[in-house]
Amino acid sequence: MASTYSTLLAFIMAALFISGGAAHATGPEVERPKKPADPLIGPPFVTCKAWVIADGHTGEILAGGNEDEQRNPASITKIMTALVVLKLAEESPDVWEETITFSERADKTVGSSCRLNAGESLPVKELLYGLMLPSGNDASVAIAEHFGPRLAMENENGYDAFIRTMCETAKQLGMERTSYVNPHGLTHETHLTTAADMVKLTCEAMKYERFRDTVATRNHSTIVNTPEGEDRTVSWTNTNRLLAQEGYLGVKTGTTTAAGACLVSCAERNEKRLVMVVLGSTSSDARYVDARNLYRWIWKEIAAESQDE
């Protein structure tokens, strides 16, 4: 027993000696040089993975970071969903008075909801609020199912036709790095966009008065018709917190695990309109901090340029 103990002790001492010798041989870890001091000029530090600021009228990009990097867009997808309807209504204004009835598929769509049930119905012009304010995934499916059949080619499913039209509209707008596989933005590996592409989409959508009015609305209530022939009131609150402050005009929030917290916004100051896209912020709160800090910086830059002219 004593021999075994001695052998074990000798083994431990040898191991300690070897490890200590190795540590002595390699020496202390070399201290890495410090990074440069933070610059005092340029845009603020942000948590988002990509961002861009553009002229709201011309779409000209004024500043950005990783703006051409493809990322999951989450619910800012719904700007395109709305644009497809806006363009259909541009050709036939009666579109806004059409009635959309929710299917089981729409009702059971997961995620954010406008809280309508299968069999309930309302006019298209009202459902646009349900799409954009509470970010109704169910509303996006109901819209795609309603309008898809009139967009379908021979033997094409109506829902799929709506998605194809979203993709075709993106190409027409020059959104070369954007692809859609659904109308709501739930995560899919090929459902992607970039901050720069979202500027093109948003500037186009903001040309439509109905879209501008809808995304600038903080709260909206409407009457829904039930399958039993009764009416009930549904109220929606806009998810965009920036609308609580003067100067902000909308547009759309979006959040999934894959996308992070996203925000497309529009703001005006001194008759200058800007569109900003923030993708992949670390939290819902962070996306608003990111956006407000970027706005403060760019407004100062614009004011400084005006003084120099």
Side-chain angles (χ1 to χ4, degrees):
M1 182 71 175
S3 175
T4 302
Y5 177 79
S6 299
T7 302
L8 179 61
L9 182 61
F11 177 78
I12 293 173
M13 293 299 292
L16 289 173
F17 176 79
I18 293 171
S19 63
H24 179 75
T26 57
E29 183 179 349
V30 177
E31 187 174 333
R32 297 179 181 177
K34 293 183 177 181
K35 297 179 181 179
D38 291 337
L40 300 180
I41 58 174
F45 295 115
V46 290
T47 71
C48 58
K49 302 296 189 299
W51 61 275
V52 70
I53 306 170
D55 185 296
H57 295 291
T58 67
E60 177 190 0
I61 291 180
L62 306 178
N66 299 323
E67 63 267 31
D68 293 318
E69 177 185 282
Q70 281 187 310
R71 296 192 58 80
N72 190 289
S75 283
I76 61 175
T77 295
K78 293 174 182 124
I79 300 174
M80 177 59 82
T81 307
L83 182 60
V84 171
V85 179
L86 290 162
K87 288 187 175 294
L88 287 170
E90 190 174 35
E91 298 175 2
S92 177
D94 291 343
V95 158
W96 297 118
E97 304 303 325
E98 292 180 15
T99 298
I100 290 185
T101 301
F102 268 49
S103 67
E104 288 286 346
R105 178 180 184 176
D107 182 15
K108 293 180 179 178
T109 305
V110 299
S112 52
S113 172
C114 70
R115 305 189 310 280
L116 263 70
N117 304 313
E120 292 186 326
S121 60
L122 75 173
V124 173
K125 63 184 179 183
E126 294 298 319
L127 190 54
L128 188 65
Y129 289 97
L131 176 73
M132 302 305 290
L133 272 62
S135 195
N137 291 343
D138 49 354
S140 73
V141 172
I143 287 171
E145 290 182 325
H146 179 81
F147 289 106
R150 74 190 65 182
L151 300 168
M153 297 184 290
E154 188 176 358
N155 298 322
E156 185 181 23
N157 174 273
Y159 181 88
D160 293 339
F162 192 91
I163 307 305
R164 173 180 52 76
T165 304
M166 292 172 66
C167 294
E168 290 174 353
T169 304
K171 285 185 173 59
Q172 292 166 7
L173 295 175
M175 299 168 65
E176 298 296 335
R177 296 179 63 77
T178 295
S179 59
Y180 297 110
V181 299
N182 62 58
H184 38 63
L186 290 175
T187 303
H188 188 282
E189 60 182 4
T190 60
H191 189 96
L192 301 166
T193 193
T194 69
D197 277 359
M198 286 305 303
V199 163
K200 296 173 183 177
L201 172 59
T202 304
C203 286
E204 179 68 16
M206 288 294 283
K207 293 177 182 178
Y208 293 84
E209 182 179 4
R210 188 178 293 270
F211 182 85
R212 295 195 303 272
D213 291 344
T214 300
V215 298
T217 300
R218 296 175 66 184
N219 299 282
H220 183 78
S221 296
T222 190
I223 302 297
V224 173
N225 302 121
T226 70
E228 296 75 27
E230 299 177 353
D231 294 339
R232 73 179 182 95
T233 301
V234 178
S235 297
W236 298 309
T237 297
N238 201 317
T239 57
N240 187 352
R241 293 188 215 161
L242 290 183
L243 290 173
Q245 289 186 271
E246 289 291 338
Y248 292 107
L249 310 178
V251 178
K252 188 73 190 73
T253 62
T255 307
T256 61
T257 300
C262 304
L263 177 64
V264 178
S265 59
C266 184
E268 278 187 343
R269 180 172 293 211
N270 299 326
E271 300 182 354
K272 179 78 172 179
R273 175 178 292 185
L274 299 178
V275 167
M276 182 184 297
V277 181
V278 167
L279 303 180
S281 292
T282 54
S283 68
S284 180
D285 288 342
R287 67 181 162 199
Y288 296 109
V289 175
D290 287 347
R292 290 178 64 188
N293 283 340
L294 286 167
Y295 272 120
R296 289 181 66 195
W297 167 73
I298 197 66
W299 289 129
K300 289 180 180 178
E301 292 292 305
I302 292 172
E305 289 177 4
S306 297
Q307 291 177 355
D308 293 339
E309 291 177 353

